[in-house]
Amino acid sequence: MKTLFACASALALLATAEAARAQSVPEVSYNLSVASDYVFRGISQTDDRAALQGGVDIAVSGFYAGGWASTMDFGDETDAEVDIYGGYTTRIAGFDVDVGAVLYLYVGKPAGADYDYVELKAAASRDVGPVNLGVTTYYTTNFFGVDDEAFYYEANSAFAISPSLTASGAVGHQTLDVSDDYTTWNVGLTYAFPKLISIDMRYHDTDTAGPLSEERFVGMVSLAF
C-alpha cells in the first residue's frame, strides 16, 4: 500500500511539474489584416482609406508582450503607427482581468510633432452564458501631444451566434482636458473560417463633428497564426 501511495504521489508531482513546465513555455502568435479603413475610437486614422496591419504577440504564465503596426494617413508625413505593449492577465472571482500599458509610436511624423504617448490599461470581462461582457479603461498624461490627462472608458460585449459567427459591439467615452469629450460606438459581425482566416464587418459612429468621425462601415480580412 505504501508503495502504491508513493507511486501515486510521484505521478501527481510529475503531472504538476509537467503542467507548470507547459505554462512556462512561451506561446507566440502572429496576425496580418487588410482593412477598408483604420478606425481608432470612432475616428479614421487613414483619411477613409484602406490600411495594412500586422503584429506579433508572446505570452507566458499570464504575462504578455507584443507589437502591432498599421499604415497611416494624417495628411502630413506620418506613414505608420507602431504600438508596443505588455501586461498581465489573470482570473479573479470569475472575471478575466488584464492590466498593462501601450506605447504608441508614429513613424515619419513631422519634425517637432509630439504624437507619441503611453497609455495604461485595466480591463475585466466575464462570460454570462453565451455572452461575454467586459469593461476597459485607458489613462494617459499626454494624449497624442494635444491633450494632457485623458481617460477612455469602454463597455463591450460579444455573443457567439455559432462556432464560426460572433456578433460584438462596444460603447466608449473619451475624456480630454483640452479638446472636447466625445462618445463612440460600434457593432459588427465576425466570421471565422476553419483555416485561421476571419472576416469582420463593422459599423462605427461618434457624437462628434468632423469628416473623419462620421458614421462608416469598415470591412476587414484577417489571418491569425
Side-chain angles (χ1 to χ4, degrees):
M1 182 64 70
K2 290 182 178 179
T3 302
L4 289 174
F5 179 77
C7 290
S9 299
L11 288 173
L13 289 173
L14 181 61
T16 302
E18 181 63 21
R21 186 197 68 79
Q23 291 178 355
S24 65
V25 175
E27 295 183 1
V28 181
S29 59
Y30 305 87
N31 62 84
L32 182 66
S33 62
V34 178
S36 61
D37 195 351
Y38 170 25
V39 178
F40 178 71
R41 298 178 188 172
I43 300 175
S44 174
Q45 307 293 290
T46 50
D47 196 19
D48 297 323
R49 295 182 175 88
L52 177 63
Q53 304 170 336
V56 58
D57 296 274
I58 183 169
V60 57
S61 302
F63 294 94
Y64 66 88
W68 180 87
S70 175
T71 55
M72 303 286 293
D73 188 352
F74 285 163
D76 56 21
E77 296 90 346
T78 307
D79 297 316
E81 173 187 330
V82 178
D83 301 344
I84 307 297
Y85 50 84
Y88 179 72
T89 60
T90 188
R91 195 168 181 82
I92 301 175
F95 289 87
D96 293 316
V97 177
D98 179 356
V99 292
V102 185
L103 170 62
Y104 301 87
L105 302 171
Y106 294 89
V107 180
K109 62 188 177 183
D114 187 24
Y115 293 164
D116 302 345
Y117 66 101
V118 176
E119 279 189 325
L120 302 180
K121 170 190 175 182
S125 63
R126 183 169 187 166
D127 290 330
V128 181
V131 180
N132 180 269
L133 301 174
V135 292
T136 307
T137 300
Y138 289 88
Y139 170 74
T140 183
T141 58
N142 176 30
F143 186 72
F144 202 62
V146 177
D147 290 82
D148 293 330
E149 189 174 69
F151 285 91
Y152 180 72
Y153 308 98
E154 181 182 278
N156 52 73
S157 65
F159 171 68
I161 300 172
S162 72
S164 299
L165 184 63
T166 302
S168 61
V171 177
H173 185 69
Q174 181 74 67
T175 67
L176 303 166
D177 64 352
V178 175
S179 307
D180 294 334
D181 299 352
Y182 72 94
T183 299
T184 179
W185 54 92
N186 70 80
V187 62
L189 293 171
T190 304
Y191 186 86
F193 291 90
K195 293 187 177 180
L196 309 179
I197 299 174
S198 64
I199 295 177
D200 184 88
M201 299 298 295
R202 192 159 302 275
Y203 170 81
H204 296 266
D205 201 2
T206 74
D207 66 351
T208 186
L212 299 182
S213 56
E214 295 176 344
E215 62 179 358
R216 67 197 62 229
F217 287 93
V218 176
M220 177 184 293
V221 178
S222 300
L223 174 65
F225 51 96

